Each structure stands twice: as structure tokens, then as C-alpha cells.
Amino acid sequence: MTGYGKKYEVIVVGAGHAGCEAALAAARMGCLTLLLTMGLDTVAQMSCNPSIGGLAKGHLVHEIDALGGEMGLNIDDTGIQFRRLNMRKGPAVRAGRAQADRMAYSARMKLVLESVDLLDLKQGVVDEVVVKNYRVVGVRTREGIEFSGQTVVITAGTFMRGLIHVGMNNYPGGRAGEPAADKLSDCLRSLGFVVGRLKTGTPARLSARSIDFGKLERQSGDNEIRPFSFMNDKIERNQVDCYIAHTNQKTHEIIRNNLDKSPLYAGVIEGVGPRYCPSIEDKVVRFPDKMSHQSFIEPEGVRGAEMYPSGLSTSLPADVQLQYFRSMVGFERVEIMRPGYAIEYDFVEPLQIQSTMETREVAGLYHAGQINGTSGYEEAAGQGLLAGINAALQCQQSEPLIIRRDQGYLGVMVDDLVTQETTEPYRMFTSRAEYRLLLREDNADLRLTQLGRHVGLVSDSRWQRYQEKLELMERAFSVCRDITVTNKNARLCSRFGLGELKSGVTLEQVIKRPEVTVRQVEAEVPELTGFPEKVLEQVEIAIKYEGYIARQIEQVERFVELEKVKIPDDLDYAEVTSISAEVREKLIKYRPSSLGQAGRIQGVTPAAVAVLNVYLRKKTREKTNEAGR
């Protein structure tokens, strides 16, 4: 075993989406950082769908960007098709999604990593986390090198004891073409962590030259591209088309006739797969009356021929995959470039991490991404960002950053992970956020940029842009409050259907009308012209949804009061009388950090929370009295 002779403050294991954000955050905050990856050519690899964003996931990307992360900038620079989803619904659930050039996305992120001061990017396979007196002190690699570090962030993805299944054949691998990490999960078990097993999958990759796109429905990008990063005002780029295809009854028959060749149905796969993103064989079995299933056929880049058929992940043999694809309209002569596969991998039960992403078992050790039982690039990147920030803050002996549920989807996700059992891979949905009207994509910078600045991650240029937006918003609000429309403004009264006015109405009152948009008002009122679209959007939402927003703010105030009541990590729950044995067992297992978090644990009743509140207040009074003696 050889030492490297250089002591790092933060070591990040794995250079997927979580690892990249963790390493960049730590280094940009001033910590000497090492990023270790199995392969330098697969940094920020898009192992499955080559896209970023989507419902709720787009919210995460905007929040990552607002805090000073890289994902939003990366997809803005390498996206090849951009679309806004749910535009007919309210602003809370509108979200951006972009198809990426898979190779360009990875290449740009690697270039960014290589250009950041204090960040070393190295190739190596980590077999062991080195721990002394319950504190991490470094890692050892398969190559026999020991790297010393004050903190370690593990972002292992699907590589821990990864096992790939194609039909009844299986082989070790973290993803197709790459080896698994066999020893790391054994090391974590030896340190006292509870390790489980999950499963995910990916569809085959198809040759574009063998698809008859004339038989498919074309889906183009939006005419006006809306960036993910608040640092970009607009993106002007030629976009590629995606296509919509459908399975049919013949497809389903082929799949049903070959279920005995699926490791999922033959009992070979032990891990639990994502319920919300089932394989095509799962869909056929679960929904026998459904005549067809839709698939978006998406290019993996602008220069390659590989196409990604979303929604058609599978573990069936390659020959069966080819059969069912060729039964679909437009795919009669399709050629498979890479077969689809299922993959099983180890994860560490996230009840063993704190809201800071630091593990409870080992001080200075952080987990982020699929090791915590989550799925998706965006969920991983968000966790990586928070883990990197908090690892750096620990090295700087500063208070950790914890984002609450009312502050961001990032807070919702982490709180869910530390208060809920992991029965399947976790995915973010807008329905998980009870304050989603406050947690929109468009205002992520208003919610989180100050936090990013406080921890030292938001750059001067980003901070200046944020300040300018605040100033412009205030000016725009002033215009709407100060300008009054009266009967003297006959044209405006007619334009907005105001009728005969007994007294004047402000522009704010005009914009509040459901049928009036701020764009329409802007066209008629010179004082509103010249404001950026994002500023006017904030004004319109704040005015139209004022009542709803006020009610959610009241709910948040009650929520925050419960969050303020902190629970000591070493609290002896045996002393808390009047709660059931079941509740006590839950509290001991989950170790909630606040009264509010305790109430979100399944099985902990409101009555139990009230008893715990009384007990904590009593303890606080006793300590105060002792201090006064």
C-alpha cells in the first residue's frame, strides 16, 4: 500500500452527476479536492436517457443552478432540443426538459472539472473507505494507493456489486462496458451500514438509419428556448426533432410469449425496480387491456446514429428485443446497436444519513446519488451538490447547509430520504412538495441564491445578476401599483374589458384578471416595456396568485415553528413516557432532527408529536434552571 503524499480536504468517489457537482462545489468553496473515477472518459455519463429536466426534475436543475451548481449551465450549452412541459397548467408544475448531446454533455463537464483550481481529477477504483475512531481519514484504491482526506463523499451510482442482466445471461458491471465495484459495499457493511439491493434498466439503442421516420409522429422543440441556468438570458440554436412511436398488440404478444426468458419474471433479479418507470414487460403484464404504449424516439447526439426509445427498458434477450421492435410501425427493419439490459446494484439505506448528507455511522463520510436509493441524474446532482457543500463547510469548521421543505425541492428530497423507508428507487415528483406554489422553477434563484452566496459558492457575476433582477422586479411592481387606469383611458378600458369605471383601477388590479396577461398590458403601457421577460413573469405570478401564495406562506410559518424545535441526536426516547412502543421504535430508528421531521415519519402520530413537544420543552426549562443556579 502506497500513500499519495498529498492530504486532501474533500475526496469525492465517482464522477457521475452527483460526483461532478460535489467536487466542483467543494473546490469552488476553497477546499483542496480530489475526484476519483473509474474512467476519465465517462465523466457525467448519461447511462440511460440522454436528457435533463422534466416534471419536478426541471425544478431540481434550476435549484442546483441557483445555488451555484453546474448542471443547468452544462445542459444549456449541450442541449439539442428544448421543451417546456405543462404550459397549460399553473406555474407550480411547469417544467423544462432538454434532450442532450450525450457525448458533448460529458465532454463539457470534464473540461469544466479540469479547469477548476484546487480540484484534481484522477482515475482509480476505490475499494475501501479508511476510518479511524469512527471518522473517515481517506480511501484506498484497487491500484494500491491510499489518498488521505478530511471528508469523503461517495457517489457510487449503480457500480456497487453491479450485475447486468440480458435475458438469462448476467455478468458483473456498473453499466454496459464498465466493471463493477465489488469491494466498496462490503467495506460499508463492515462499518455498520445496512446495505440493500435495487434494480433499474435501460432500453436498447437503435440505428437511426434503420428507422422509417416517415411513419412516426414528429415532435419538434419549442420555437423559443428557455434556458435552465439563470446566468443565460436566451439560447439560439438549431434543434433536432424527436419522434413518437407506439407498441401494438403483436408487440405485446411477443413479449408475453417470452416472459420465461425475462430474469425479472424468472426470479433471477432480487432488487426492487422503479414502480413509476417500469420495463416494457412490466407494462404488458400490469396493463393487459392496454392496446399500445407510447415511446419517444430521441437522438443521443447530433453526429451519431444512435436513437433512444424511452419507456421501453427491458431485461429480455437481445433476439426478443429485436423481434418486438420490428413488430412496431416504422421499425420493420430496425437494427439494434446496443441491447437493453437490467442492472442490479447495492445501495445504503438513507435512514443512515443526516439532512446534511453526512452519515450517522462515520463522521466526515457523505453519501449522494443512487447510493441513497434514488434514481435520476437530477436527483443525484442535487444530492451531490449538497454533500459537496457540507463536506467543504465541515472542513472550514462552518455550520452546515440544510435546505428545508419550504425552501426547495432539494429540501423535500433529502427530508423524504431521511424520514421514509426505501422500498423502491426514489424519484422526485411535484406532488411530493406540499408548498409547490412557492417552489417554482422560475423563482429558484429568489429562493436559493442568497444561500449559495452565504456558503461561498455563488460567484460575483451570478450575485450581481441576481441583485439586478431584484431591482428590476421592484421597479416593475412599482409601475403596476402606481399607474391607475380611469375612464379617461378609454382605449385601455376597452382593450381590457373594464367597462364604465366608478373609480380608477391600478395596473396590478388589471393584471389580476384571469383573462389579462402581463404581455398584453406591456404592449399598451410604455412604462412596462423594456423589462426582461423573467422579471415580468415574476410580477404576473405574484399578482395573479397573491391569495394562494399568502395561504401557503401561512402554512410555511406553522411548519417552520415545528422545525425550530430541535431534537438532540442522543435523546433517550425511553424517557419519553406516554408514547407507544411502536412510535418509540420508529423514533429510535429514524433519529429525527426536529419536531417537524418527527411528525413526517410514517407511524408517528400527531398525539405522539405533542407528547414529544411537551417533553422537549420540559427538558429545555430544566437546563435553563440549572444554568441559572
Side-chain angles (χ1 to χ4, degrees), residues 328-475:
M328 296 167 58
V329 173
F331 297 84
E332 293 83 358
R333 298 181 180 179
V334 76
E335 292 291 340
I336 291 178
M337 297 181 71
R338 309 186 202 210
Y341 61 87
I343 181 169
E344 288 184 279
Y345 57 94
D346 284 351
F347 80 104
V348 178
E349 176 58 60
L351 297 179
Q352 298 163 101
I353 63 170
Q354 305 171 59
S355 297
T356 60
M357 312 304 295
E358 185 179 16
T359 66
R360 297 181 184 275
E361 299 291 331
V362 179
L365 178 63
Y366 295 77
H367 290 173
Q370 285 178 287
I371 191 174
N372 285 331
T374 63
S375 71
Y377 310 142
E378 302 82 1
E379 290 89 341
Q383 293 171 68
L385 179 66
L386 294 177
I389 288 172
N390 282 319
L393 290 173
Q394 182 173 137
C395 294
Q396 296 165 352
Q397 299 183 334
S398 299
E399 287 295 312
L401 174 67
I402 297 177
I403 298 182
R404 300 190 310 264
R405 295 183 73 91
D406 63 296
Q407 293 177 310
Y409 276 80
L410 290 170
V412 173
M413 173 176 61
V414 174
D415 189 66
D416 283 350
L417 291 176
V418 301
T419 60
Q420 297 179 12
E421 293 276 4
T422 302
T423 57
E424 63 179 340
Y426 178 96
R427 180 181 181 178
M428 179 53 69
F429 298 105
T430 54
S431 58
R432 294 189 188 273
E434 56 268 61
Y435 310 116
R436 55 185 170 273
L437 183 54
L438 302 180
L439 308 182
R440 308 183 306 276
E441 270 194 357
D442 60 83
N443 70 351
D445 56 338
L446 305 181
R447 294 183 276 115
L448 298 175
T449 301
Q450 290 188 61
L451 292 177
R453 183 68 170 181
H454 176 73
V455 300
L457 189 54
V458 165
S459 65
D460 289 343
S461 57
R462 183 181 289 274
W463 184 248
Q464 181 180 351
R465 180 178 278 258
Y466 167 73
Q467 296 283 2
E468 289 172 353
K469 181 177 179 179
L470 290 181
E471 182 181 340
L472 288 170
M473 283 175 57
E474 182 53 41
R475 283 169 49 194

